[in-house]
């Protein structure tokens, strides 16, 4: 059994992949070739975002977004502690301070009530109590953990109320939806739920390439122009003339070609992911705490994570049965020495700590056989003594 198996997908679109890759080899424009522009058009169409910018990774997408906002030392950026390290890393790379906010234990996303308490508490703290003699609140990075969008209805409202930028780290949730009133009525896809959204095309994400890749989705034209410049070493409208400090943040044409091939079946794969999740729900509900998309949201099911206080018993049975599994994330960032020192904790992060003790990711991919899911469910049944 495999935790994630990319092979069935590869064989399904093998011919298209071969053709797309051959086209890049033939035209030879490996950097900023036509596939990159085509991909950006398709991504905008699919997500509904006004602008899409392909880039080198999900981490660079976050970094470039913070650079576009001019994040600098003395700035505080509110982030969940229960996330992949990249969310905090980019804040620290720019010398700013991550302020850790607790999560909602049901969605594993940032809790809007905890966020508002932290914003208010930071505002009323004396400068002498804060690192480097003072911090000003600049922005929020929400994370759509395991594929489910955070509560953008409320987060957008808080960002406006306190004049903060809101960045959605949608590395795991590309393809998910949420009914959104703040940004036009109706259901919106990830990419349009926040003013700026980043995603990752790491191979195991819901939409993955065959290397590193990512994208930024942005609604504001000025911000888009700044991001384009940052992606190209800060270049201005003339070649080799620089207007700002940037990075090499480009996606290469081969990866864009792979993504274009995969996008032809992405919608169908999202349906398959939902079917696989429904099957797990049916096998596991009543036995263990299962993940559910909140009302008004759909998940892209980057991971299927159950929760149990008997996690170590389940892992023991999984090991005996040869069932692959993973723990995302064992240690929340505020408990990791480097980020405890660099970051700020305003109130306790008990949900993050509790979920980190209980979370367990099960084998999951669109083409997982039902028999494999049954094996997983049986192992859990044995471990829990049902
Ligand atoms: C995967 C991931 C990233 C980083 O994406 P890369 O493409 O690997 O750089 C950032 N944030 C979250 C929440 C992720 O899961």
């Amino acid at each position: 059994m495999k935790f994630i198996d990319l092979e069935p997908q590869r064989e399904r679109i093998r011919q298209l992949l071969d053709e797309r890759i051959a086209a890049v080899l033939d035209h030879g424009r490996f950097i900023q070739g036509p596939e990159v522009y085509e991909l950006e058009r398709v991504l905008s169409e699919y997500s509904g975002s006004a602008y899409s910018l392909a880039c080198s990774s999900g981490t660079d997408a976050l970094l470039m977004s913070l650079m576009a906002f001019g994040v600098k030392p003395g700035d505080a950026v509110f982030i969940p502690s229960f996330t992949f390290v990249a969310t905090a890393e980019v804040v620290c790379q720019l010398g700013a301070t991550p302020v850790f906010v607790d999560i909602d234990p049901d969605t594993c996303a940032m809790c809007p009530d905890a966020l508002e308490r932290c914003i208010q508490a930071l505002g009323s703290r004396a400068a002498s109590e804060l690192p480097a003699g003072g911090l000003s609140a600049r922005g929020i990075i929400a994370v759509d953990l395991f594929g489910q969008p955070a509560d953008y209805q409320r987060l957008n409202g808080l960002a406006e109320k306190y004049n903060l930028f809101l960045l959605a780290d949608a590395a795991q949730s590309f393809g998910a939806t949420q009914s959104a009133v703040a940004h036009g009525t109706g259901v919106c896809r990830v990419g349009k739920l926040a003013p700026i959204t980043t995603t990752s095309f790491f191979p195991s994400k819901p939409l993955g390439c065959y290397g590193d890749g990512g994208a930024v989705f942005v609604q504001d034209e000025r911000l888009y122009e700044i991001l384009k410049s940052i992606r190209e070493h800060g270049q201005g409208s003339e070649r080799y003339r620089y207007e700002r400090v940037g990075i090499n943040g480009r996606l290469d044409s081969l990866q864009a070609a792979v993504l274009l091939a995969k996008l032809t079946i992405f919608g169908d794969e999202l349906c398959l992911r939902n079917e696989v999740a429904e099957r797990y729900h049916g096998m596991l509900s009543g036995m263990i705490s299962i993940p559910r998309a909140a009302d008004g949201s759909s998940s892209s099911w980057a991971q299927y994570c159950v929760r149990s206080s008997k996690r170590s018993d389940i892992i023991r049975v999984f090991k005996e049965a040869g069932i692959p599994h993973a723990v995302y994330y064992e240690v929340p960032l505020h408990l990791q020495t480097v980020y405890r020192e660099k970051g700020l904790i305003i109130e306790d992060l008990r949900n993050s700590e509790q979920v980190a003790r209980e979370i367990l990711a099960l084998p999951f991919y669109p083409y997982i056989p039902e028999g494999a899911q049954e094996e997983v469910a049986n192992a859990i049944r044995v471990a829990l003594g049902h």
Side-chain angles (χ1 to χ4, degrees):
M1 196 189 304
K2 286 190 176 160
F3 184 67
I4 292 181
D5 188 356
L6 296 174
E7 214 178 292
Q9 178 201 52
R10 195 186 63 213
E11 289 320 303
R12 179 175 173 187
I13 52 166
R14 185 65 188 235
Q15 200 186 339
L16 189 54
L17 281 166
D18 287 343
E19 285 167 13
R20 279 282 190 180
I21 289 169
V24 178
L25 299 187
D26 288 342
H27 69 56
R29 291 168 62 191
F30 299 113
I31 301 293
Q32 294 298 108
E35 287 78 9
V36 175
Y37 298 99
E38 186 183 347
L39 174 68
E40 289 176 339
R41 273 197 309 277
V42 174
L43 289 176
S44 289
E45 232 165 75
Y46 184 83
S47 65
S49 172
Y51 303 94
S52 301
L53 189 101
C55 70
S56 39
S57 72
T59 306
D60 287 343
L62 287 166
L63 178 66
M64 291 196 300
S65 301
L66 295 188
M67 288 170 78
F69 284 120
V71 168
K72 59 184 188 311
D75 288 349
V77 180
F78 299 91
I79 68 167
S81 174
F82 190 64
T83 176
F84 182 60
V85 66
T87 319
E89 180 182 49
V90 291
V91 175
C92 295
Q93 271 168 3
L94 297 175
T97 301
V99 179
F100 295 113
V101 177
D102 209 6
I103 53 166
D104 174 330
D106 292 328
T107 60
C108 292
M110 182 185 269
C111 168
D113 293 326
L115 171 64
E116 184 158 30
R117 286 195 303 271
C118 287
I119 294 171
Q120 290 180 347
L122 182 70
S124 59
R125 272 202 189 177
S128 58
E129 293 175 68
L130 293 167
L135 278 181
S136 55
R138 277 300 309 284
I140 305 159
I141 308 180
V143 181
D144 302 347
L145 214 64
F146 308 141
Q148 172 166 195
D151 185 352
Y152 288 106
Q153 192 67 37
R154 292 203 48 208
L155 293 174
N156 274 302
L158 289 171
E160 276 166 40
K161 180 172 173 188
Y162 293 98
N163 194 27
L164 304 170
F165 68 75
L166 174 61
L167 163 55
D169 178 351
Q172 303 183 10
S173 64
F174 188 70
T177 61
Q178 190 167 72
S179 45
V181 179
H183 289 267
T185 44
V187 174
C188 286
R189 282 216 172 101
V190 157
K192 215 197 168 182
L193 294 167
I196 186 163
T197 302
T198 61
T199 198
S200 163
F201 302 130
F202 186 84
S204 61
K205 307 273 167 153
L207 178 63
C209 54
Y210 291 147
D212 275 310
V216 186
F217 304 95
V218 58
Q219 310 314 314
D220 178 73
E221 186 181 1
R222 203 184 61 90
L223 210 49
Y224 169 65
E225 294 297 333
I226 294 172
L227 281 160
K228 262 202 310 196
S229 163
I230 291 172
R231 180 176 68 177
E232 194 62 44
H233 298 286
Q235 188 167 274
S237 48
E238 270 180 87
R239 216 168 170 204
Y240 301 125
R241 297 291 172 87
Y242 304 98
E243 291 179 349
R244 56 178 57 78
V245 175
I247 65 170
N248 171 0
R250 297 174 303 242
L251 181 79
D252 64 73
S253 308
L254 279 170
Q255 298 307 336
V258 168
L259 289 164
L260 283 164
K262 290 199 182 189
L263 273 160
T264 62
I265 54 164
F266 184 62
D268 182 59
E269 288 189 332
L270 283 174
C271 293
L272 292 173
R273 285 177 181 277
N274 272 300
E275 284 170 23
V276 172
E278 284 301 326
R279 286 207 301 258
Y280 266 142
H281 291 342
M283 293 171 186
L284 298 172
S285 62
M287 193 156 74
I288 194 166
S289 167
I290 56 168
R292 285 277 188 195
D295 283 349
S297 294
S298 76
S299 177
S300 62
W301 297 108
Q303 301 292 339
Y304 189 94
C305 291
V306 295
R307 282 180 55 189
S308 170
S309 57
K310 297 192 175 129
R311 181 174 72 190
S312 54
D313 297 331
I314 299 171
I315 289 178
R316 191 170 338 108
V317 176
F318 276 6
K319 281 185 175 154
E320 282 161 15
I323 294 173
H325 53 275
V327 174
Y328 305 117
Y329 298 94
E330 238 176 320
V331 185
L333 296 179
H334 73 280
L335 297 180
Q336 312 229 13
T337 311
V338 53
Y339 290 103
R340 192 170 49 229
E341 283 166 7
K342 301 256 183 222
L344 185 67
I345 299 169
I346 287 186
E347 57 173 37
D348 77 66
L349 296 144
R350 69 184 75 175
N351 294 334
S352 301
E353 292 173 16
Q354 173 101 24
V355 172
R357 279 192 295 270
E358 298 184 347
I359 202 89
L360 180 64
L362 306 183
F364 192 100
Y365 53 95
Y367 309 95
I368 190 171
E370 191 166 345
Q373 291 188 271
E374 270 160 9
E375 260 182 75
V376 173
N378 281 335
I380 294 175
R381 191 171 300 119
V382 168
L384 299 179
H386 279 268

